[in-house]
Amino acid sequence: MALLITGGAGFIGSNFVLEWLAREQEPVVVLDKLTYAGNPENLASVHSDPRFAFVRGDIGDRPFVAALLQKHGVRAVVNFAAESHVDRSIHGPGEFIHTNVVGTFELLEAVRGYWGALEAAAKESFRFLHVSTDEVYGSLGAEEPAFTEKHQFQPNSPYSASKAASDHLVRAYHHTYGLPVLTTNCSNNYGPFHFPEKLIPLMILNALNGKPLPVYGDGKNVRDWLYVTDHCSAIRRVLQAGRLGETYNVGGRNEMTNLEVVQKLCSILDELRPLEAGRSYWEQVHFVKDRPGHDRRYAIDASLIERELGWLPSETFETGIRKTIGWYLAHPEWVQGVVSGAYREWVAKQYGA
Ligand code: NAD
Ligand code: DAU
């Protein structure tokens, strides 16, 4: 018996694996393609744990996944594997369709074949948990209520459209084939092992390196931030007790504009790594061209998971962001490892000189 964690070498997946092995006895098998975003170093601390296995491979390789499910007697799949960066989806949507839509379809087919052949008790207890995003719901106006699970899907970027398509496929496999699925739609995460193409780690590292802090548009877009281990605890809880076929929104009721986030990061860095002559990291802020189709506001109504499953986040933004900054300051070797030539090429493509 084991959990199969797809995309387990990425940001949230690796946090999930580390937390799982620290709390539970059950083994995990990580299946990860190791794209630019997948990093085996994230899992270095559990490499020698006998309950941990790592397999490099693609969720879109149906026979390979089918053999893996058999070999490890998998009792649940948690699907984190995806292309995840909105800006990259704008430059090149093809990979997003390939992995997030076709890949999820192939994964579902492999799982359906395996699950269908299980004996009754194992079939009954099997779970497929699909990790998705609040971006499938589109963008909110300033005064609109937060997204509930009933909100219409209105994805606006190739990334969110590809995730919405995958959510629909997962739903259809439950409705049509009875596959025991669960879906979570979470807001923006932050924390350790976050790849520095995303707002928070990018700003921390640029600030420390004396580089501009590129704020898109007017900086007033709103995101609803959740510390990554709170997302992991929500996934564990849904896996344990979620109603089959149900979708659970996950969020920390923690809306902030991008400018507020950057201001907070700068003030904590001013305190922990003061610059000379009373200068502030805030002076490095540059307003840059807006993201095309930039969603204005996301906000999650998490009352279903709170009420039904008793889940609540443990971190506030204040505690979570301090932990996050502390982690980046304490792990310069991890940062060096990910800031490769390919990363520099991406930064040049997205932000120019
Ligand atoms: P990430 O980009 O850091 O990690 C994705 C992982 O998937 C990487 O390890 C990558 O190598 C792997 N991968 C990509 N294509 C693959 C394939 N075809 N087969 C196997 N592995 C593959 O992403 P993340 O931020 O950790 O997000 C994980 C999941 O959570 C995604 O599905 C994302 O949509 C969702 N999500 C993310 C956030 C967030 O704020 N980061 C919020 C809500 C939901
Ligand atoms: O809401 C959940 C989603 O959050 C996940 O599904 C995605 O996988 C994840 O990448 C994240 O998407 P966002 O687009 O919200 O995150 P990102 O960190 O790219 O951007 C956060 C906000 O900051 C957004 O309004 C764009 C802005 N931004 C981002 C970057 C990289 C900037 O102003 N400057 C930047 O350089």
PDB file of all heavy atoms in Angstrom, residues 259-271:
ATOM      1  N   LEU A 259       0.969  45.019  -4.133  1.00  0.00           N
ATOM      2  CA  LEU A 259       1.794  46.063  -3.504  1.00  0.00           C
ATOM      3  C   LEU A 259       1.906  45.845  -1.997  1.00  0.00           C
ATOM      4  O   LEU A 259       2.979  46.031  -1.408  1.00  0.00           O
ATOM      5  CB  LEU A 259       1.204  47.443  -3.776  1.00  0.00           C
ATOM      6  CG  LEU A 259       1.578  48.079  -5.113  1.00  0.00           C
ATOM      7  CD1 LEU A 259       0.905  49.436  -5.275  1.00  0.00           C
ATOM      8  CD2 LEU A 259       3.099  48.226  -5.251  1.00  0.00           C
ATOM      9  N   GLU A 260       0.790  45.426  -1.381  1.00  0.00           N
ATOM     10  CA  GLU A 260       0.848  45.152   0.070  1.00  0.00           C
ATOM     11  C   GLU A 260       1.805  43.998   0.370  1.00  0.00           C
ATOM     12  O   GLU A 260       2.556  44.038   1.356  1.00  0.00           O
ATOM     13  CB  GLU A 260      -0.557  44.817   0.595  1.00  0.00           C
ATOM     14  CG  GLU A 260      -1.454  46.032   0.713  1.00  0.00           C
ATOM     15  CD  GLU A 260      -2.923  45.674   0.972  1.00  0.00           C
ATOM     16  OE1 GLU A 260      -3.365  44.553   0.625  1.00  0.00           O
ATOM     17  OE2 GLU A 260      -3.632  46.540   1.508  1.00  0.00           O
ATOM     18  N   VAL A 261       1.782  42.982  -0.502  1.00  0.00           N
ATOM     19  CA  VAL A 261       2.690  41.839  -0.290  1.00  0.00           C
ATOM     20  C   VAL A 261       4.139  42.301  -0.401  1.00  0.00           C
ATOM     21  O   VAL A 261       4.981  41.990   0.456  1.00  0.00           O
ATOM     22  CB  VAL A 261       2.401  40.720  -1.334  1.00  0.00           C
ATOM     23  CG1 VAL A 261       3.484  39.650  -1.307  1.00  0.00           C
ATOM     24  CG2 VAL A 261       1.032  40.103  -1.093  1.00  0.00           C
ATOM     25  N   VAL A 262       4.432  43.075  -1.436  1.00  0.00           N
ATOM     26  CA  VAL A 262       5.819  43.507  -1.659  1.00  0.00           C
ATOM     27  C   VAL A 262       6.274  44.443  -0.529  1.00  0.00           C
ATOM     28  O   VAL A 262       7.409  44.348  -0.041  1.00  0.00           O
ATOM     29  CB  VAL A 262       5.963  44.172  -3.054  1.00  0.00           C
ATOM     30  CG1 VAL A 262       7.373  44.714  -3.262  1.00  0.00           C
ATOM     31  CG2 VAL A 262       5.631  43.164  -4.154  1.00  0.00           C
ATOM     32  N   GLN A 263       5.339  45.304  -0.088  1.00  0.00           N
ATOM     33  CA  GLN A 263       5.659  46.200   1.036  1.00  0.00           C
ATOM     34  C   GLN A 263       6.045  45.390   2.284  1.00  0.00           C
ATOM     35  O   GLN A 263       7.010  45.690   2.968  1.00  0.00           O
ATOM     36  CB  GLN A 263       4.431  47.021   1.387  1.00  0.00           C
ATOM     37  CG  GLN A 263       4.609  48.503   1.226  1.00  0.00           C
ATOM     38  CD  GLN A 263       3.259  49.195   1.001  1.00  0.00           C
ATOM     39  OE1 GLN A 263       2.205  48.589   1.195  1.00  0.00           O
ATOM     40  NE2 GLN A 263       3.310  50.436   0.587  1.00  0.00           N
ATOM     41  N   LYS A 264       5.271  44.347   2.539  1.00  0.00           N
ATOM     42  CA  LYS A 264       5.504  43.503   3.719  1.00  0.00           C
ATOM     43  C   LYS A 264       6.867  42.820   3.614  1.00  0.00           C
ATOM     44  O   LYS A 264       7.641  42.787   4.577  1.00  0.00           O
ATOM     45  CB  LYS A 264       4.383  42.456   3.812  1.00  0.00           C
ATOM     46  CG  LYS A 264       4.416  41.615   5.040  1.00  0.00           C
ATOM     47  CD  LYS A 264       3.887  42.404   6.216  1.00  0.00           C
ATOM     48  CE  LYS A 264       4.278  41.781   7.518  1.00  0.00           C
ATOM     49  NZ  LYS A 264       4.094  42.684   8.644  1.00  0.00           N
ATOM     50  N   LEU A 265       7.143  42.258   2.421  1.00  0.00           N
ATOM     51  CA  LEU A 265       8.432  41.581   2.214  1.00  0.00           C
ATOM     52  C   LEU A 265       9.576  42.558   2.455  1.00  0.00           C
ATOM     53  O   LEU A 265      10.560  42.229   3.131  1.00  0.00           O
ATOM     54  CB  LEU A 265       8.539  41.065   0.774  1.00  0.00           C
ATOM     55  CG  LEU A 265       7.623  39.928   0.357  1.00  0.00           C
ATOM     56  CD1 LEU A 265       7.744  39.674  -1.145  1.00  0.00           C
ATOM     57  CD2 LEU A 265       7.993  38.664   1.113  1.00  0.00           C
ATOM     58  N   CYS A 266       9.435  43.767   1.901  1.00  0.00           N
ATOM     59  CA  CYS A 266      10.511  44.755   2.030  1.00  0.00           C
ATOM     60  C   CYS A 266      10.718  45.144   3.487  1.00  0.00           C
ATOM     61  O   CYS A 266      11.861  45.261   3.954  1.00  0.00           O
ATOM     62  CB  CYS A 266      10.210  45.996   1.186  1.00  0.00           C
ATOM     63  SG  CYS A 266      10.326  45.679  -0.577  1.00  0.00           S
ATOM     64  N   SER A 267       9.615  45.312   4.218  1.00  0.00           N
ATOM     65  CA  SER A 267       9.806  45.765   5.607  1.00  0.00           C
ATOM     66  C   SER A 267      10.442  44.658   6.450  1.00  0.00           C
ATOM     67  O   SER A 267      11.273  44.936   7.315  1.00  0.00           O
ATOM     68  CB  SER A 267       8.498  46.280   6.206  1.00  0.00           C
ATOM     69  OG  SER A 267       7.646  45.208   6.465  1.00  0.00           O
ATOM     70  N   ILE A 268      10.108  43.384   6.175  1.00  0.00           N
ATOM     71  CA  ILE A 268      10.747  42.298   6.952  1.00  0.00           C
ATOM     72  C   ILE A 268      12.232  42.191   6.567  1.00  0.00           C
ATOM     73  O   ILE A 268      13.102  42.022   7.425  1.00  0.00           O
ATOM     74  CB  ILE A 268      10.012  40.959   6.748  1.00  0.00           C
ATOM     75  CG1 ILE A 268       8.581  41.059   7.298  1.00  0.00           C
ATOM     76  CG2 ILE A 268      10.752  39.822   7.433  1.00  0.00           C
ATOM     77  CD1 ILE A 268       7.705  39.849   7.036  1.00  0.00           C
ATOM     78  N   LEU A 269      12.525  42.337   5.265  1.00  0.00           N
ATOM     79  CA  LEU A 269      13.935  42.281   4.846  1.00  0.00           C
ATOM     80  C   LEU A 269      14.723  43.467   5.412  1.00  0.00           C
ATOM     81  O   LEU A 269      15.886  43.327   5.792  1.00  0.00           O
ATOM     82  CB  LEU A 269      14.035  42.244   3.320  1.00  0.00           C
ATOM     83  CG  LEU A 269      13.664  40.898   2.695  1.00  0.00           C
ATOM     84  CD1 LEU A 269      13.553  41.016   1.173  1.00  0.00           C
ATOM     85  CD2 LEU A 269      14.673  39.810   3.063  1.00  0.00           C
ATOM     86  N   ASP A 270      14.068  44.646   5.475  1.00  0.00           N
ATOM     87  CA  ASP A 270      14.741  45.822   6.083  1.00  0.00           C
ATOM     88  C   ASP A 270      15.152  45.512   7.524  1.00  0.00           C
ATOM     89  O   ASP A 270      16.188  45.965   8.005  1.00  0.00           O
ATOM     90  CB  ASP A 270      13.813  47.039   6.072  1.00  0.00           C
ATOM     91  CG  ASP A 270      13.673  47.662   4.680  1.00  0.00           C
ATOM     92  OD1 ASP A 270      14.536  47.417   3.821  1.00  0.00           O
ATOM     93  OD2 ASP A 270      12.670  48.375   4.460  1.00  0.00           O
ATOM     94  N   GLU A 271      14.303  44.712   8.184  1.00  0.00           N
ATOM     95  CA  GLU A 271      14.573  44.372   9.593  1.00  0.00           C
ATOM     96  C   GLU A 271      15.660  43.285   9.683  1.00  0.00           C
ATOM     97  O   GLU A 271      16.577  43.387  10.491  1.00  0.00           O
ATOM     98  CB  GLU A 271      13.241  43.862  10.160  1.00  0.00           C
ATOM     99  CG  GLU A 271      13.232  43.408  11.578  1.00  0.00           C
ATOM    100  CD  GLU A 271      11.917  42.640  11.848  1.00  0.00           C
ATOM    101  OE1 GLU A 271      10.840  43.049  11.373  1.00  0.00           O
ATOM    102  OE2 GLU A 271      12.001  41.595  12.529  1.00  0.00           O
TER     103      GLU A 271
END
